[in-house]
Amino acid sequence: KALAACDAAQQALKDDKPDQARSELAAFRSLKDQALTLAPSLNDIFTVKNQISRCERIDSKIASSSKKQEALKLSLETAQEESIAYVTSCQKTLETLNREKMLDDPVLRDANQGLNSARSHRKNALDEKLANQTFKDNANHPVKLALDANLKKGDQCVASLNQTISRKTQELTDVKTRFAEHVQQLTAAGAQCSSAQQNARGTATQDRYAAAKNEYENALQQRNDIRDAL
């Protein structure tokens, strides 16, 4: 019975079931102790001692197998968690960017940082070596199916986020260009108004002064409108 339990432990180990192997090994040890208590001379038989020694070595194999199982479990969990983070990171960044009413450089900087973060999660999900080896051996592994679905969803989100960042970057560039143009207009109008003021006592007419003042006020209003849009 003891040797049967030993064989069962060995088979469980081959089947990648370290917990069951550990249970069978405990049964072996219990039955072995009972047998040796009843017949101590068994321990003097070479073949019995050899079989007992072989069974005892299973313990170290179980420990090694358990570590491998834990490492694989951690790798699978990490791959799946990173694929989920890929989706959520992108979606949150896209939602925040679309919700922003005031478009400026810090908003676009945060959006690009969110995009880079999402890409980092994608890379981490694909870099888990133990998980990848398992997926090669089992293309229908549940974690692989979940990971593939998350990557597909994340890729779609990143494509949309990229387009949105590009569009809003161009919008901000256009606003800055218009603002710079109005600043130039404002400066020119201010210079003309100042010149009209200085010449008011002499050759400058009231109509010329009024025209310069009107142009200055129009340029000022245009600049403020652009500033409010930024």
Side-chain angles (χ1 to χ4, degrees):
K1 289 183 178 181
L3 295 179
C6 173
D7 291 338
Q10 186 72 36
Q11 185 59 49
L13 195 57
K14 290 180 180 179
D15 294 338
D16 288 329
K17 299 177 180 178
D19 290 339
Q20 181 179 338
R22 190 176 292 106
S23 176
E24 294 291 353
L25 181 61
F28 156 75
R29 285 171 171 165
S30 176
L31 292 169
K32 177 200 68 174
D33 290 343
Q34 293 177 23
L36 290 178
T37 298
L38 294 174
S41 60
L42 287 174
N43 205 30
D44 296 328
I45 302 174
F46 175 77
T47 55
V48 174
K49 289 179 62 176
N50 190 49
Q51 288 176 324
I52 291 176
S53 177
R54 175 179 63 84
C55 291
E56 289 293 353
R57 287 197 297 272
I58 294 177
D59 194 19
S60 61
K61 294 180 180 180
I62 291 175
S64 177
S65 177
S66 296
K67 290 180 180 179
K68 291 180 180 178
Q69 287 288 337
E70 286 299 319
L72 175 58
K73 180 181 178 182
L74 178 60
S75 182
L76 291 171
E77 289 177 349
T78 299
Q80 187 165 5
E81 288 171 358
E82 289 290 339
S83 71
I84 294 173
Y86 174 44
V87 177
T88 56
S89 178
C90 177
Q91 289 178 339
K92 289 181 179 178
T93 301
L94 183 58
E95 290 171 1
T96 300
L97 182 58
N98 286 329
R99 192 170 55 244
E100 287 289 350
K101 295 181 180 180
M102 297 295 293
L103 184 61
D104 55 17
D105 288 321
V107 168
L108 291 175
R109 180 196 61 216
D110 291 344
N112 279 295
Q113 288 178 346
L115 176 60
N116 290 334
S117 176
R119 286 171 173 164
S120 177
H121 286 302
R122 187 184 196 282
K123 182 179 183 299
N124 291 340
L126 294 174
D127 281 350
E128 285 297 324
K129 294 182 179 180
L130 292 179
N132 287 333
Q133 184 59 52
T134 298
F135 298 155
K136 288 180 181 179
D137 298 335
N138 183 4
N140 293 318
H141 193 287
V143 174
K144 184 181 188 305
L145 297 178
L147 184 143
D148 288 345
N150 288 331
L151 292 181
K152 181 178 180 180
K153 186 183 298 183
D155 289 344
Q156 292 172 344
C157 177
V158 164
S160 179
L161 179 57
N162 262 320
Q163 292 175 355
T164 302
I165 290 176
S166 296
R167 175 171 53 81
K168 289 187 176 291
T169 298
Q170 186 58 53
E171 289 176 0
L172 182 58
T173 299
D174 292 343
V175 169
K176 287 180 177 180
T177 299
R178 292 197 302 271
F179 180 76
E181 290 173 351
H182 284 290
V183 168
Q184 290 178 351
Q185 293 174 4
L186 174 63
T187 301
Q192 187 174 354
C193 182
S194 177
S195 177
Q197 285 178 312
Q198 292 175 1
N199 295 327
R201 303 187 190 91
T203 59
T205 64
Q206 186 64 30
D207 289 341
R208 184 179 176 185
Y209 175 77
K213 180 180 179 182
N214 183 63
E215 185 177 352
Y216 174 83
E217 290 176 346
N218 288 338
L220 180 62
Q221 182 61 48
Q222 289 176 338
R223 186 206 63 175
N224 291 338
D225 291 342
I226 294 297
R227 177 177 293 171
D228 290 342
L230 291 176

